[in-house]
mmCIF file of all heavy atoms in Angstrom:
data_model
loop_
_atom_site.group_PDB
_atom_site.id
_atom_site.type_symbol
_atom_site.label_atom_id
_atom_site.label_comp_id
_atom_site.label_asym_id
_atom_site.label_seq_id
_atom_site.Cartn_x
_atom_site.Cartn_y
_atom_site.Cartn_z
ATOM 1 N N LYS A 13 -47.701 35.347 10.721
ATOM 2 C CA LYS A 13 -47.338 36.774 10.957
ATOM 3 C C LYS A 13 -46.374 36.817 12.112
ATOM 4 O O LYS A 13 -45.337 37.490 12.103
ATOM 5 C CB LYS A 13 -48.615 37.596 11.334
ATOM 6 C CG LYS A 13 -49.531 37.814 10.192
ATOM 7 C CD LYS A 13 -50.848 38.467 10.711
ATOM 8 C CE LYS A 13 -51.891 38.506 9.570
ATOM 9 N NZ LYS A 13 -53.249 39.023 10.073
ATOM 10 N N GLN A 14 -46.600 35.970 13.063
ATOM 11 C CA GLN A 14 -45.637 35.939 14.288
ATOM 12 C C GLN A 14 -44.343 35.431 13.873
ATOM 13 O O GLN A 14 -43.325 35.764 14.317
ATOM 14 C CB GLN A 14 -46.290 35.163 15.330
ATOM 15 C CG GLN A 14 -45.537 35.282 16.645
ATOM 16 C CD GLN A 14 -45.552 36.732 17.382
ATOM 17 O OE1 GLN A 14 -46.606 37.160 17.594
ATOM 18 N NE2 GLN A 14 -44.390 37.313 17.516
ATOM 19 N N LYS A 15 -44.359 34.405 13.060
ATOM 20 C CA LYS A 15 -43.005 33.765 12.678
ATOM 21 C C LYS A 15 -42.246 34.719 11.674
ATOM 22 O O LYS A 15 -41.072 34.801 11.816
ATOM 23 C CB LYS A 15 -43.332 32.432 11.783
ATOM 24 C CG LYS A 15 -43.733 31.320 12.748
ATOM 25 C CD LYS A 15 -43.925 29.992 11.874
ATOM 26 C CE LYS A 15 -44.300 28.846 12.794
ATOM 27 N NZ LYS A 15 -44.469 27.517 11.854
ATOM 28 N N PHE A 16 -43.019 35.567 11.005
ATOM 29 C CA PHE A 16 -42.341 36.525 10.138
ATOM 30 C C PHE A 16 -41.646 37.585 10.961
ATOM 31 O O PHE A 16 -40.509 37.791 10.788
ATOM 32 C CB PHE A 16 -43.441 37.187 9.222
ATOM 33 C CG PHE A 16 -42.921 38.384 8.488
ATOM 34 C CD1 PHE A 16 -42.323 38.313 7.295
ATOM 35 C CD2 PHE A 16 -42.977 39.700 8.930
ATOM 36 C CE1 PHE A 16 -41.726 39.312 6.564
ATOM 37 C CE2 PHE A 16 -42.517 40.790 8.263
ATOM 38 C CZ PHE A 16 -41.940 40.667 7.103
ATOM 39 N N LEU A 17 -42.357 38.046 12.027
ATOM 40 C CA LEU A 17 -41.734 39.019 12.862
ATOM 41 C C LEU A 17 -40.472 38.375 13.621
ATOM 42 O O LEU A 17 -39.490 39.090 13.699
ATOM 43 C CB LEU A 17 -42.696 39.544 13.934
ATOM 44 C CG LEU A 17 -43.711 40.556 13.543
ATOM 45 C CD1 LEU A 17 -44.712 40.870 14.735
ATOM 46 C CD2 LEU A 17 -43.038 41.778 13.061
ATOM 47 N N ASN A 18 -40.678 37.218 14.104
ATOM 48 C CA ASN A 18 -39.559 36.635 14.811
ATOM 49 C C ASN A 18 -38.327 36.428 13.935
ATOM 50 O O ASN A 18 -37.173 36.743 14.391
ATOM 51 C CB ASN A 18 -39.928 35.253 15.426
ATOM 52 C CG ASN A 18 -41.050 35.421 16.565
ATOM 53 O OD1 ASN A 18 -41.239 36.536 17.037
ATOM 54 N ND2 ASN A 18 -41.770 34.322 16.829
ATOM 55 N N SER A 19 -38.492 35.998 12.662
ATOM 56 C CA SER A 19 -37.417 35.757 11.760
ATOM 57 C C SER A 19 -36.700 37.001 11.358
ATOM 58 O O SER A 19 -35.591 37.059 11.415
ATOM 59 C CB SER A 19 -37.978 34.903 10.641
ATOM 60 O OG SER A 19 -36.872 34.609 9.703
ATOM 61 N N MET A 20 -37.590 37.907 10.736
ATOM 62 C CA MET A 20 -37.016 39.087 10.178
ATOM 63 C C MET A 20 -36.294 39.994 11.283
ATOM 64 O O MET A 20 -35.217 40.457 11.008
ATOM 65 C CB MET A 20 -38.182 39.879 9.490
ATOM 66 C CG MET A 20 -38.719 39.212 8.223
ATOM 67 S SD MET A 20 -37.540 38.973 6.902
ATOM 68 C CE MET A 20 -37.062 37.297 7.218
ATOM 69 N N ASN A 21 -36.937 40.138 12.374
ATOM 70 C CA ASN A 21 -36.408 40.981 13.374
ATOM 71 C C ASN A 21 -35.122 40.363 14.004
ATOM 72 O O ASN A 21 -34.234 41.044 14.555
ATOM 73 C CB ASN A 21 -37.455 41.292 14.495
ATOM 74 C CG ASN A 21 -38.382 42.266 13.989
ATOM 75 O OD1 ASN A 21 -38.129 43.026 12.993
ATOM 76 N ND2 ASN A 21 -39.611 42.354 14.728
ATOM 77 N N SER A 22 -35.039 39.025 14.032
ATOM 78 C CA SER A 22 -33.841 38.393 14.514
ATOM 79 C C SER A 22 -32.616 38.812 13.614
ATOM 80 O O SER A 22 -31.596 39.088 14.129
ATOM 81 C CB SER A 22 -34.002 36.845 14.419
ATOM 82 O OG SER A 22 -32.764 36.206 14.845
ATOM 83 N N TYR A 23 -32.756 38.744 12.339
ATOM 84 C CA TYR A 23 -31.687 39.031 11.410
ATOM 85 C C TYR A 23 -31.436 40.550 11.437
ATOM 86 O O TYR A 23 -30.315 40.968 11.303
ATOM 87 C CB TYR A 23 -31.981 38.633 9.980
ATOM 88 C CG TYR A 23 -31.769 37.072 9.716
ATOM 89 C CD1 TYR A 23 -32.872 36.253 9.669
ATOM 90 C CD2 TYR A 23 -30.449 36.603 9.620
ATOM 91 C CE1 TYR A 23 -32.630 34.870 9.594
ATOM 92 C CE2 TYR A 23 -30.259 35.193 9.442
ATOM 93 C CZ TYR A 23 -31.361 34.391 9.458
ATOM 94 O OH TYR A 23 -31.127 32.994 9.245
ATOM 95 N N LEU A 24 -32.493 41.342 11.459
ATOM 96 C CA LEU A 24 -32.283 42.833 11.410
ATOM 97 C C LEU A 24 -31.587 43.264 12.657
ATOM 98 O O LEU A 24 -30.730 44.185 12.748
ATOM 99 C CB LEU A 24 -33.641 43.538 11.284
ATOM 100 C CG LEU A 24 -34.388 43.470 9.959
ATOM 101 C CD1 LEU A 24 -35.702 44.115 10.031
ATOM 102 C CD2 LEU A 24 -33.466 44.086 8.910
ATOM 103 N N GLY A 25 -31.802 42.527 13.833
ATOM 104 C CA GLY A 25 -31.174 42.783 15.122
ATOM 105 C C GLY A 25 -29.683 42.514 14.972
ATOM 106 O O GLY A 25 -28.819 43.291 15.586
ATOM 107 N N ILE A 26 -29.355 41.494 14.237
ATOM 108 C CA ILE A 26 -27.852 41.178 14.103
ATOM 109 C C ILE A 26 -27.246 42.073 13.149
ATOM 110 O O ILE A 26 -26.061 42.716 13.410
ATOM 111 C CB ILE A 26 -27.726 39.709 13.462
ATOM 112 C CG1 ILE A 26 -28.204 38.743 14.463
ATOM 113 C CG2 ILE A 26 -26.238 39.523 13.105
ATOM 114 C CD1 ILE A 26 -28.403 37.302 13.900
ATOM 115 N N MET A 27 -27.817 42.476 11.986
ATOM 116 C CA MET A 27 -27.226 43.293 10.938
ATOM 117 C C MET A 27 -27.129 44.728 11.347
ATOM 118 O O MET A 27 -26.303 45.430 10.742
ATOM 119 C CB MET A 27 -28.050 43.095 9.676
ATOM 120 C CG MET A 27 -27.968 41.677 9.185
ATOM 121 S SD MET A 27 -29.066 41.471 7.680
ATOM 122 C CE MET A 27 -28.082 42.189 6.405
ATOM 123 N N GLN A 28 -27.955 45.219 12.232
ATOM 124 C CA GLN A 28 -27.922 46.748 12.601
ATOM 125 C C GLN A 28 -26.549 47.047 13.320
ATOM 126 O O GLN A 28 -26.305 48.222 13.435
ATOM 127 C CB GLN A 28 -29.139 47.070 13.424
ATOM 128 C CG GLN A 28 -29.144 46.431 14.873
ATOM 129 C CD GLN A 28 -30.230 46.813 15.736
ATOM 130 O OE1 GLN A 28 -30.121 48.008 16.291
ATOM 131 N NE2 GLN A 28 -31.271 46.035 15.878
ATOM 132 N N HIS A 29 -25.912 46.051 13.786
ATOM 133 C CA HIS A 29 -24.612 46.354 14.460
ATOM 134 C C HIS A 29 -23.440 46.683 13.513
ATOM 135 O O HIS A 29 -22.331 46.934 13.832
ATOM 136 C CB HIS A 29 -24.197 45.132 15.357
ATOM 137 C CG HIS A 29 -25.131 44.968 16.471
ATOM 138 N ND1 HIS A 29 -24.967 45.678 17.720
ATOM 139 C CD2 HIS A 29 -26.278 44.283 16.737
ATOM 140 C CE1 HIS A 29 -25.909 45.455 18.561
ATOM 141 N NE2 HIS A 29 -26.765 44.540 18.023
ATOM 142 N N TYR A 30 -23.811 46.456 12.085
ATOM 143 C CA TYR A 30 -22.782 46.687 11.081
ATOM 144 C C TYR A 30 -23.276 47.666 10.184
ATOM 145 O O TYR A 30 -24.431 48.061 10.176
ATOM 146 C CB TYR A 30 -22.417 45.262 10.393
ATOM 147 C CG TYR A 30 -22.143 44.208 11.337
ATOM 148 C CD1 TYR A 30 -23.073 43.292 11.749
ATOM 149 C CD2 TYR A 30 -20.898 43.954 11.830
ATOM 150 C CE1 TYR A 30 -22.960 42.271 12.549
ATOM 151 C CE2 TYR A 30 -20.566 43.009 12.675
ATOM 152 C CZ TYR A 30 -21.558 42.100 12.975
ATOM 153 O OH TYR A 30 -21.351 41.058 13.983
ATOM 154 N N LYS A 31 -22.420 48.149 9.331
ATOM 155 C CA LYS A 31 -22.751 49.235 8.278
ATOM 156 C C LYS A 31 -23.571 48.529 7.196
ATOM 157 O O LYS A 31 -23.061 48.250 6.014
ATOM 158 C CB LYS A 31 -21.602 49.954 7.812
ATOM 159 C CG LYS A 31 -20.922 50.719 8.863
ATOM 160 C CD LYS A 31 -19.646 51.460 8.383
ATOM 161 C CE LYS A 31 -19.001 52.235 9.470
ATOM 162 N NZ LYS A 31 -17.727 52.948 9.006
ATOM 163 N N THR A 32 -24.835 48.130 7.373
ATOM 164 C CA THR A 32 -25.606 47.349 6.427
ATOM 165 C C THR A 32 -26.994 48.080 6.156
ATOM 166 O O THR A 32 -27.948 47.450 5.625
ATOM 167 C CB THR A 32 -25.764 45.945 6.913
ATOM 168 O OG1 THR A 32 -26.565 46.099 8.215
ATOM 169 C CG2 THR A 32 -24.497 45.231 7.161
ATOM 170 N N TYR A 33 -27.111 49.292 6.412
ATOM 171 C CA TYR A 33 -28.417 50.100 6.257
ATOM 172 C C TYR A 33 -28.894 49.845 4.939
ATOM 173 O O TYR A 33 -30.021 49.421 4.612
ATOM 174 C CB TYR A 33 -28.320 51.477 6.720
ATOM 175 C CG TYR A 33 -29.468 52.263 6.395
ATOM 176 C CD1 TYR A 33 -30.583 52.138 7.137
ATOM 177 C CD2 TYR A 33 -29.381 53.270 5.293
ATOM 178 C CE1 TYR A 33 -31.833 52.822 6.863
ATOM 179 C CE2 TYR A 33 -30.735 53.964 5.033
ATOM 180 C CZ TYR A 33 -31.803 53.752 5.837
ATOM 181 O OH TYR A 33 -32.897 54.576 5.482
ATOM 182 N N ASN A 34 -28.152 50.192 3.904
ATOM 183 C CA ASN A 34 -28.539 50.106 2.462
ATOM 184 C C ASN A 34 -28.805 48.779 2.016
ATOM 185 O O ASN A 34 -29.646 48.397 1.306
ATOM 186 C CB ASN A 34 -27.510 50.858 1.588
ATOM 187 C CG ASN A 34 -27.492 52.290 1.739
ATOM 188 O OD1 ASN A 34 -28.540 53.036 1.973
ATOM 189 N ND2 ASN A 34 -26.297 52.950 1.558
ATOM 190 N N MET A 35 -27.903 47.824 2.503
ATOM 191 C CA MET A 35 -27.996 46.321 2.166
ATOM 192 C C MET A 35 -29.394 45.820 2.734
ATOM 193 O O MET A 35 -30.103 45.213 1.991
ATOM 194 C CB MET A 35 -26.933 45.641 2.835
ATOM 195 C CG MET A 35 -26.998 44.042 2.598
ATOM 196 S SD MET A 35 -25.872 43.178 3.586
ATOM 197 C CE MET A 35 -24.243 43.755 2.916
ATOM 198 N N ARG A 36 -29.737 46.188 3.953
ATOM 199 C CA ARG A 36 -30.984 45.730 4.588
ATOM 200 C C ARG A 36 -32.152 46.226 3.741
ATOM 201 O O ARG A 36 -33.006 45.419 3.331
ATOM 202 C CB ARG A 36 -31.051 46.196 6.046
ATOM 203 C CG ARG A 36 -30.289 45.439 7.045
ATOM 204 C CD ARG A 36 -30.354 46.012 8.377
ATOM 205 N NE ARG A 36 -29.353 47.060 8.572
ATOM 206 C CZ ARG A 36 -29.588 48.013 9.426
ATOM 207 N NH1 ARG A 36 -30.585 48.174 10.114
ATOM 208 N NH2 ARG A 36 -28.481 48.950 9.536
ATOM 209 N N LYS A 37 -32.229 47.518 3.560
ATOM 210 C CA LYS A 37 -33.312 48.120 2.768
ATOM 211 C C LYS A 37 -33.458 47.523 1.367
ATOM 212 O O LYS A 37 -34.597 47.159 0.842
ATOM 213 C CB LYS A 37 -33.132 49.638 2.734
ATOM 214 C CG LYS A 37 -33.409 50.342 3.972
ATOM 215 C CD LYS A 37 -33.461 51.885 3.746
ATOM 216 C CE LYS A 37 -34.708 52.282 2.931
ATOM 217 N NZ LYS A 37 -34.797 53.681 2.858
ATOM 218 N N ASN A 38 -32.346 47.396 0.674
ATOM 219 C CA ASN A 38 -32.427 46.814 -0.753
ATOM 220 C C ASN A 38 -32.935 45.391 -0.738
ATOM 221 O O ASN A 38 -33.706 45.058 -1.636
ATOM 222 C CB ASN A 38 -31.010 46.985 -1.411
ATOM 223 C CG ASN A 38 -30.604 48.423 -1.599
ATOM 224 O OD1 ASN A 38 -31.436 49.245 -1.794
ATOM 225 N ND2 ASN A 38 -29.365 48.651 -1.757
ATOM 226 N N MET A 39 -32.321 44.621 0.252
ATOM 227 C CA MET A 39 -32.760 43.279 0.195
ATOM 228 C C MET A 39 -34.280 42.999 0.521
ATOM 229 O O MET A 39 -34.827 42.210 -0.139
ATOM 230 C CB MET A 39 -31.842 42.404 1.273
ATOM 231 C CG MET A 39 -30.435 42.197 0.871
ATOM 232 S SD MET A 39 -29.576 41.342 2.144
ATOM 233 C CE MET A 39 -30.236 39.679 1.954
ATOM 234 N N LEU A 40 -34.768 43.853 1.384
ATOM 235 C CA LEU A 40 -36.162 43.728 1.745
ATOM 236 C C LEU A 40 -37.159 44.343 0.687
ATOM 237 O O LEU A 40 -38.004 43.587 0.247
ATOM 238 C CB LEU A 40 -36.385 44.440 3.060
ATOM 239 C CG LEU A 40 -35.768 43.776 4.320
ATOM 240 C CD1 LEU A 40 -35.787 44.651 5.574
ATOM 241 C CD2 LEU A 40 -36.536 42.489 4.618
ATOM 242 N N PHE A 41 -36.735 45.415 0.151
ATOM 243 C CA PHE A 41 -37.661 46.051 -0.746
ATOM 244 C C PHE A 41 -37.657 45.405 -2.112
ATOM 245 O O PHE A 41 -38.574 45.398 -2.893
ATOM 246 C CB PHE A 41 -37.371 47.614 -0.932
ATOM 247 C CG PHE A 41 -37.698 48.428 0.197
ATOM 248 C CD1 PHE A 41 -36.828 49.150 0.885
ATOM 249 C CD2 PHE A 41 -39.175 48.544 0.592
ATOM 250 C CE1 PHE A 41 -37.276 49.941 1.915
ATOM 251 C CE2 PHE A 41 -39.496 49.258 1.705
ATOM 252 C CZ PHE A 41 -38.540 50.026 2.337
ATOM 253 N N LYS A 42 -36.517 44.702 -2.486
ATOM 254 C CA LYS A 42 -36.482 44.119 -3.732
ATOM 255 C C LYS A 42 -36.881 42.588 -3.724
ATOM 256 O O LYS A 42 -37.479 42.165 -4.689
ATOM 257 C CB LYS A 42 -35.005 44.029 -4.181
ATOM 258 C CG LYS A 42 -34.535 45.369 -4.724
ATOM 259 C CD LYS A 42 -32.956 45.201 -5.129
ATOM 260 C CE LYS A 42 -32.434 46.486 -5.653
ATOM 261 N NZ LYS A 42 -31.046 46.394 -6.060
ATOM 262 N N ASN A 43 -36.908 42.019 -2.536
ATOM 263 C CA ASN A 43 -37.122 40.486 -2.420
ATOM 264 C C ASN A 43 -38.467 40.213 -1.643
ATOM 265 O O ASN A 43 -38.896 39.042 -1.865
ATOM 266 C CB ASN A 43 -35.952 39.762 -1.825
ATOM 267 C CG ASN A 43 -34.735 39.958 -2.732
ATOM 268 O OD1 ASN A 43 -34.694 39.422 -3.854
ATOM 269 N ND2 ASN A 43 -33.738 40.590 -2.237
ATOM 270 N N LEU A 44 -38.887 41.047 -0.732
ATOM 271 C CA LEU A 44 -39.927 40.631 0.173
ATOM 272 C C LEU A 44 -41.191 40.847 -0.626
ATOM 273 O O LEU A 44 -41.681 41.884 -1.151
ATOM 274 C CB LEU A 44 -39.894 41.473 1.451
ATOM 275 C CG LEU A 44 -40.797 41.017 2.511
ATOM 276 C CD1 LEU A 44 -40.430 39.663 3.054
ATOM 277 C CD2 LEU A 44 -40.764 42.021 3.659
ATOM 278 N N ASP A 45 -42.148 39.760 -0.541
ATOM 279 C CA ASP A 45 -43.450 39.850 -1.176
ATOM 280 C C ASP A 45 -44.236 41.079 -0.758
ATOM 281 O O ASP A 45 -44.275 41.331 0.518
ATOM 282 C CB ASP A 45 -44.201 38.571 -0.915
ATOM 283 C CG ASP A 45 -45.397 38.425 -1.927
ATOM 284 O OD1 ASP A 45 -46.455 39.033 -1.649
ATOM 285 O OD2 ASP A 45 -45.279 37.630 -2.840
#
C-alpha cells in the first residue's frame, strides 16, 4: 500500500503540471485493478 501511494502520487505530482486531467483519469480508471 505504501509503495502504491509513493509510486502513483509521484507520477500524478508530475502530470498535474500539464493539461493531463482527462488522461490521468482515463489511464487510472481503465487500467488500475
Side-chain angles (χ1 to χ4, degrees):
K13 295 172 189 175
Q14 189 66 58
K15 286 183 177 180
F16 173 87
L17 280 180
N18 293 343
S19 177
M20 293 296 101
N21 286 343
S22 175
Y23 282 103
L24 291 175
I26 294 170
M27 297 177 73
Q28 66 176 283
H29 292 274
Y30 309 93
K31 295 180 179 180
T32 59
Y33 173 74
N34 290 328
M35 178 192 297
R36 281 176 275 152
K37 287 191 66 176
N38 290 336
M39 289 181 70
L40 289 168
F41 286 121
K42 287 182 179 180
N43 299 293
L44 194 63
D45 194 284

